[in-house]
Structures are given as structure tokens and as C-alpha cells.
Amino acid sequence: MSCPWTERLPKEKTAVLLTLEPEDADAMDALFTDARLSLADGVEWRLDADPSFLSQDAAARRAQIERGAALLGDKPLLLTMRTTREGGKAALAGEAYIACLKELIALPLDVCLDVEWKRAGLMARSLARAAHEAGKAVLFSVHDVNTTPSLMDLLALYEEMWADGGDVAKLAVMARSSADVLTALNAASIAGERHPEKELIALSMGAFGKISRVGTSLSTSHMTFACLDAPAAPGQMEIQTVRRLLDILEPSHSA
């Protein structure tokens, strides 16, 4: 079944999502204005980057997100609350993380929600169902900031995230060698060929893994991430660089 949020992204080329990490409301205004005018096809808003976000009351958080979404105009928006367990800044776990997700699901916005699949645990399937009922897409994600799991483990993760209702399954793993990068890309390629109707994102983090961010034709991934200046993840590159390399590397641009 098609996902309305992903349908808003380009299909003829890799969609580039611009990761933004505003540390306060003033920074949000400037960053989001720049993002609206950028080459990005969509925006990932890292809510965990603002140290005061979670300390606000629910009404203030809702107003801040609605304002940010309005600043972006019609660009598709991915909302992410990345926890410290998966490389982010939000010290959330268990019921507190689930409560945060439920609050985001209740927003009156057409957005995609990043849900850390392992943090959601047994609630993953019901959260996906609730998000879909609220008209939102779900990106289930797993981030291994230390290593690259085996090929079989990666394949199993894609299958399990899709089975739990993820519209997009994202695996971001740390590459300690070129072999790690090949393992991550191979897993994504196999998973994508087995399920061409599904959406996935495969990223190898770190210096070795930069190629994975523009080698999307090798992984069957239709999405990648970039930054405006400072990287939000190890190996992330500026959007101008990502666009230029994709223009060179994607098969649709080959002779």
C-alpha cells in the first residue's frame, strides 16, 4: 500500500532530506527559512537538539512544531526525537519515550514520525497503527552507533520493521571498514529486491560509510540525508555536495 507522505517525495531520483537541529526557537526560524529555499526534497527536524523542548508544556511544544511546519511550506517533514541510546540528545526511555511519540501522533499535521523500533519495543505495532489512523507515516529506525551487524541480522531487522507497520525501514550502522559498508548496502539491496513495494533507507555511518549516502542506486534506497553545514550524524555531508554526487552517480543521469 502506498504511503501519502513518501508519495510527496520524488520517485525519479533519490530524495534528499535535510537534517535540521535548531537549538531554540530563534534558530528554528532562520534554519527553516533557509531549508524552504534549499535543494532539499524534505526536512528532518531533530527535536532532541533543543535542550528546552521537552521542558515546555505540551501546548508550547505543539505551537513550536506547528510554527516550524508552517515555515517549511509544502516540504515533507520528518519529526525525530533521537534518544541518547541511538546517538541523539534526548534522555528518554520506556514510557517517557512512548508518551512523546503519542504526543507527536496527536499533532494536526501531515508528517512522518521517526520511531526508534527497539525503543518502541512491544508498542511498535500499535504506535504505527495509531499514527496511520491519525494520517501520519511511520519511519521505523534502528541506529547502531558502534558496529555493523551481520547480513542476516540486518535482513531480519528490515523484515521485522515492515511487519510492524513501518512505511519506511531505516538502518544506520557504524562502519569500521569498507567490508562493513558493503554488508549494509548488500542487505538493503537484497531486502529491496525481495520487497520492491517497500521503502527503506540504508546508511553506514562514519568516514568509511560516506559512499552509502550517495550510493543509493546500490542499496535500492530512495532517500538519503544531508546537512546545511555541520553534520548531524557521522559521515553526513552538505546538501550541495550530496546533490552534486547524486547527479553524477545515479543511473538516470548516466549516458
Side-chain angles (χ1 to χ4, degrees):
M1 185 173 66
S2 64
C3 166
W5 186 84
T6 59
E7 289 297 322
R8 293 168 60 198
L9 297 170
K11 293 298 182 185
E12 72 282 358
K13 63 179 182 178
T14 299
V16 180
L17 301 183
L18 186 63
T19 301
L20 299 180
E21 295 186 297
E23 296 182 349
D24 55 43
D26 290 337
M28 179 189 76
D29 287 2
L31 280 175
F32 281 37
T33 299
D34 289 344
R36 188 180 70 246
L37 302 174
S38 74
L39 298 170
D41 300 299
V43 167
E44 178 192 29
W45 183 356
R46 285 281 301 272
L47 297 169
D48 57 291
D50 183 348
S52 66
F53 182 80
L54 289 172
S55 64
Q56 302 178 87
D57 61 37
R61 288 193 293 269
R62 172 172 169 165
Q64 185 173 340
I65 293 174
E66 289 179 342
R67 173 168 172 73
L71 287 170
L72 291 173
D74 60 356
K75 284 193 185 292
L77 176 59
L78 169 65
L79 294 177
T80 298
M81 180 62 75
R82 183 69 65 237
T83 69
T84 53
R85 291 287 298 273
E86 301 211 11
K89 300 176 181 178
L92 290 175
E95 293 182 2
Y97 180 64
I98 300 300
C100 177
L101 293 175
K102 288 181 176 179
E103 185 177 305
L104 296 177
I105 288 172
L107 290 169
L109 296 171
D110 175 15
V111 297
C112 181
L113 302 180
D114 180 302
V115 176
E116 293 178 4
W117 183 72
K118 290 185 176 181
R119 304 286 78 74
L122 295 176
M123 292 292 293
R125 190 165 295 194
S126 62
L127 286 168
R129 187 182 306 115
H132 292 151
E133 290 174 353
K136 294 172 177 61
V138 173
L139 183 155
F140 277 138
S141 65
V142 172
H143 299 76
D144 190 325
V145 298
N146 297 310
T147 188
T148 295
S150 71
L151 175 66
M152 296 308 296
D153 285 345
L154 292 173
L155 289 172
L157 285 169
Y158 282 123
E159 295 284 354
E160 291 167 353
M161 287 191 282
W162 284 326
D164 277 346
D167 300 291
V168 184
K170 175 190 175 187
L171 288 179
V173 296
M174 183 59 71
R176 303 294 183 185
S177 66
S178 56
D180 284 344
V181 181
L182 293 174
T183 296
L185 293 177
N186 192 24
S189 178
I190 293 171
E193 289 174 359
R194 288 177 178 174
H195 301 281
E197 78 285 2
K198 302 289 189 181
E199 296 282 355
L200 63 80
I201 300 173
L203 296 172
S204 284
M205 295 182 284
F208 281 107
K210 284 187 177 183
I211 186 64
S212 69
R213 297 181 179 276
V214 292
T216 49
S217 60
L218 301 175
S219 67
T220 69
S221 175
H222 297 134
M223 285 174 261
T224 191
F225 294 83
C227 58
L228 278 175
D229 40 50
Q236 196 175 71
M237 295 181 284
E238 293 183 1
I239 187 168
Q240 292 89 344
T241 300
V242 171
R243 275 287 188 216
R244 185 169 65 253
L245 291 172
L246 286 172
D247 285 344
I248 295 170
L249 296 171
E250 286 192 316
S252 60
H253 296 280
S254 300

